[in-house]
Amino acid sequence: MNSLPSHCSVLIVGAGPSGLMMAAQLLRFGIQPVIIDVKTGLTNSSRALAVQARSLEIMRQLGVDAAALEEGNVVKGLAIHEDTEEVAHLDLTSVGEGMSPFPYVLILEQSKTEKILLDYLTSNTCPVYWDTELKGVSSTEHSVAVRLRRGDIDETLTCDWLIGADGASSSVRKSQGTAFAGGTYMNRFYLADINLKGQPDGDDVRVFLEDKGFTGIFPMQRNNYRFIGILPRTLRNRESVTFDDIRPYITYASGIALEEESCYWFSTYQLHHRVAERFRNRRCFLIGDAAHVHSPAGGQGMNTGLQDAYNLAWKLSGVLNKEYHERILDTYAAERMPVARALLKTTDRLFTIAATQNWLISKIRNWLLPKVLQKLWKDKSIPGKLFARISQTGIQYRSSSLSVHHSQAGQVRAGDRLPYLRLFDEKLKKDTDLHSWCSKPGFTLLVIGFLSQRDVHLLAKWIKSTYPSQLNFYYLPPSKANQHIFDFFEIKEDKKKALMIRPDMHIGYVNDIVDIELLDVYLKETVGWKK
């Protein structure tokens, strides 16, 4: 068993997707965290299944997107059945085209996502301390002390900051006395991972609408499928339910005959919907399921936790590296709590309708939903809007104190995620994209429009003398090859635009003029950059 240090800058409790992503992001910024988990190692069972485009963009920055794509399965379509008859089919192959380098939903088991992130930590010499339980927390304005149980041994550790990524039953959250308001869905659900050989439509998600709820089938790799549904009334109150008990119901709902030996993982559970009353208390933060839990509608839960970590890590590392004033940490909760609350409201409504067992409502849903979706899909603008919401690429922080918008253009505003746009790099003479330009750790100053050589030199000199690290600079001059970017940002002829891109690929600052003094004011006064 590896020895724990007596002190660390950041202690992360929980080695699920959110905790592992938090550690990975901190490593990108030069912070070596300590991460612990009460489990003895990674588990092969998991409930989260969908990895959205925004999460894949984050993985791309880490260089692990290829591993995710290799292990996952891209969803090509959504087939809706009433009883066993297909009543609607939606083509998902092009809904997000041009909006992200990953214009789709990836089916990837949570256990595989965790393994990919753990491999990243291992390659960066950041171990997970397994079989380590948090027993108590004592925090002040200046440090945090924790009591741990490792096997049969009690230990103590101090840290500068504590991150609670330890799930819905978070010990960190409970240690802070933070309320976790919400509720529990009435129904019990089942989850079965099943190997089906020779099944058609292996890239489609299939949903079977029933009067008593629904059954969903999600395609994984190697003829493996995940079945999710509501336990029948006859089984709802039984303490122990096996796959053998549920197998006839699955066959009846889907029309697929199942062999007993085809199921390699089965579980029953209840679902909750809750949000913590605060995401920070002094030096303790909550991320992922420790901060919010949702229904599985739209595959949002795990992905939201990954974005929590993405949002917090660059701010916390900047404070630890003595680059930013500590007040920037207040923007974590200010930006992420509205996202969690809005998501909770949306997914709760959708899931309540999907899981209803009210005879009348289910009849209306089963008749109306396929027709509405088919009609919406004919409007070319609707699928893109749905993709932006489900993929989480549409999340914005326009009301954040870090968002400063000094531009007459309104299509892209400060606080928005940097749009994914292909471009031609005039300097390197090769094709690339804005996300690749802004993928380095730190802020990126992006100037679009004509600058004289003198102005380019002055900007570069200012950055080198004032912000020698963590501020990158890219200049995109007018050209026929990149006119689409000028059009997207509403930059008229002979005009220019200055954008400051945050480390999490959201736009912090937009101005129709390029002024070093104003850029400096944004970084020093708004961001709180000390250098």
Side-chain angles (χ1 to χ4, degrees):
M1 184 178 288
N2 294 340
S3 297
L4 276 166
S6 60
H7 179 81
C8 63
S9 56
V10 181
L11 174 64
I12 302 169
V13 181
S18 300
L20 293 169
M21 178 59 79
M22 185 73 196
Q25 291 294 327
L26 289 171
L27 287 168
R28 285 187 69 232
F29 293 98
I31 302 298
Q32 188 79 19
V34 169
I35 180 168
I36 65 172
D37 197 291
V38 69
K39 301 190 300 294
T40 56
L42 291 179
T43 61
N44 292 324
S45 60
S46 60
R47 292 180 188 171
L49 194 65
V51 178
Q52 302 292 353
R54 186 59 173 151
S55 297
L56 288 168
E57 290 174 3
I58 299 172
M59 291 181 173
R60 187 189 189 201
Q61 280 189 297
L62 293 173
V64 300
D65 54 309
L69 295 176
E70 184 178 352
E71 291 290 330
N73 190 35
V74 174
V75 174
K76 300 292 180 61
L78 171 63
I80 300 177
H81 301 252
E82 186 174 1
D83 294 326
T84 57
E85 180 186 354
E86 184 177 303
V87 292
H89 186 274
L90 308 180
D91 183 359
L92 303 180
T93 56
S94 59
V95 292
E97 198 66 43
M99 299 174 67
S100 171
F102 311 99
Y104 42 73
V105 176
L106 185 72
I107 298 296
L108 183 70
E109 301 94 303
Q110 179 181 323
S111 56
K112 291 183 178 179
T113 300
E114 292 176 357
K115 178 63 166 57
I116 290 168
L117 292 172
L118 182 62
D119 287 345
Y120 180 88
L121 299 191
T122 302
S123 66
N124 286 275
T125 325
C126 180
V128 174
Y129 295 88
W130 301 105
D131 194 20
T132 303
E133 182 181 4
L134 181 72
K135 301 297 289 184
V137 178
S138 176
S139 61
T140 69
E141 296 294 338
H142 306 289
S143 67
V144 182
V146 299
R147 291 185 292 107
L148 306 173
R149 170 70 61 85
R150 304 193 71 206
D152 297 327
I153 302 173
D154 291 329
E155 297 187 32
T156 59
L157 181 151
T158 60
C159 58
D160 298 322
W161 302 93
L162 177 64
I163 311 296
D166 47 344
S169 300
S170 170
S171 297
V172 174
R173 187 187 64 245
K174 292 174 181 177
S175 75
Q176 303 303 296
T178 300
F180 202 36
T184 301
Y185 292 104
M186 178 182 67
N187 299 308
R188 285 178 66 198
F189 299 83
Y190 71 84
L191 181 158
D193 284 350
I194 299 172
N195 185 264
L196 298 176
K197 297 195 181 297
Q199 282 295 316
D201 302 323
D203 295 324
D204 284 351
V205 169
R206 287 181 275 176
V207 177
F208 295 82
L209 299 175
E210 312 155 28
D211 290 346
K212 302 300 182 183
F214 70 93
T215 298
I217 305 177
F218 301 85
M220 301 185 287
Q221 284 193 346
R222 304 174 186 90
N223 298 112
N224 295 321
Y225 295 79
R226 174 161 294 178
F227 286 65
I228 299 175
I230 300 174
L231 278 182
R233 292 183 185 273
T234 54
L235 300 176
R236 187 179 300 169
N237 297 321
R238 187 183 297 184
E239 288 188 14
S240 178
V241 178
T242 67
F243 174 66
D244 242 4
D245 296 324
I246 200 70
R247 183 154 51 101
Y249 295 94
I250 297 177
T251 298
Y252 177 78
S254 66
I256 300 173
L258 303 174
E259 301 296 331
E260 183 178 358
E261 63 273 12
S262 63
C263 181
Y264 57 92
W265 185 51
F266 180 80
S267 177
T268 62
Y269 55 94
Q270 282 194 292
L271 291 168
H272 309 275
H273 48 102
R274 301 178 185 277
V275 175
E277 68 173 343
R278 56 189 177 188
F279 284 11
R280 179 191 180 186
N281 182 38
R282 292 183 176 180
R283 290 181 167 259
C284 301
F285 292 91
L286 301 176
I287 64 174
D289 285 356
H292 45 80
V293 291
H294 313 269
S295 83
Q300 301 294 291
M302 181 188 72
N303 295 276
T304 306
L306 296 179
Q307 284 208 54
D308 289 343
Y310 192 48
N311 182 289
L312 177 59
W314 71 268
K315 299 169 182 176
L316 184 56
S317 61
V319 170
L320 286 166
N321 288 326
K322 302 188 185 306
E323 291 166 345
Y324 312 146
H325 192 279
E326 194 175 308
R327 67 173 181 269
I328 197 172
L329 297 177
D330 293 334
T331 66
Y332 164 65
E335 291 179 348
R336 295 303 297 168
M337 286 187 74
V339 172
R341 287 171 175 162
L343 184 61
L344 184 73
K345 186 181 297 184
T346 303
T347 57
D348 181 50
R349 288 173 179 171
L350 290 174
F351 194 69
T352 299
I353 294 173
T356 183
Q357 293 190 319
N358 178 280
W359 179 84
L360 178 61
I361 296 176
S362 65
K363 283 291 186 185
I364 295 172
R365 177 203 64 196
N366 296 354
W367 176 82
L368 188 61
L369 181 63
K371 291 178 173 57
V372 170
L373 287 176
Q374 291 275 50
K375 186 174 182 179
L376 289 176
W377 231 245
K378 293 178 181 178
D379 183 340
K380 293 183 179 180
S381 66
I382 298 298
K385 291 177 181 177
L386 288 175
F387 175 81
R389 179 177 290 271
I390 292 173
S391 68
Q392 301 196 351
T393 58
I395 289 175
Q396 47 83 10
Y397 307 129
R398 290 184 178 182
S399 61
S400 171
S401 62
L402 296 179
S403 301
V404 175
H405 191 81
H406 294 315
S407 174
Q408 295 182 350
Q411 179 170 307
V412 180
R413 299 185 63 86
D416 292 352
R417 159 189 165 271
L418 178 70
Y420 173 75
L421 296 170
R422 300 288 302 175
L423 66 89
F424 181 72
D425 191 316
E426 299 284 356
K427 184 177 180 181
L428 299 179
K429 303 299 179 186
K430 69 174 187 179
D431 293 322
T432 183
D433 60 80
L434 285 181
H435 282 203
S436 294
W437 264 16
C438 302
S439 64
K440 298 176 183 177
F443 277 78
T444 299
L445 171 60
L446 176 62
V447 176
I448 306 174
F450 175 77
L451 289 178
S452 67
Q453 287 189 343
R454 177 180 176 276
D455 289 339
V456 173
H457 175 73
L458 286 174
L459 280 171
K461 184 178 179 181
W462 164 68
I463 291 172
K464 186 176 181 179
S465 62
T466 314
Y467 304 95
S469 65
Q470 300 298 314
L471 179 55
N472 311 295
F473 173 44
Y474 281 94
Y475 165 53
L476 187 69
S479 70
K480 186 176 181 180
N482 293 320
Q483 183 58 43
H484 62 288
I485 295 179
F486 284 72
D487 295 340
F488 197 93
F489 284 99
E490 302 174 75
I491 302 173
K492 298 178 180 179
E493 189 176 356
D494 298 327
K495 301 297 181 180
K496 58 182 71 71
K497 187 160 291 186
L499 301 100
M500 197 67 76
I501 313 303
R502 302 175 3 167
D504 59 359
M505 216 86 82
H506 279 263
I507 302 170
Y509 170 92
V510 183
N511 203 328
D512 291 334
I513 62 172
V514 182
D515 186 289
I516 288 178
E517 185 176 350
L518 293 177
L519 292 168
D520 201 55
V521 167
Y522 171 76
L523 292 174
K524 288 180 178 174
E525 295 187 8
T526 303
V527 176
W529 208 316
K530 293 182 177 181
K531 296 183 180 180

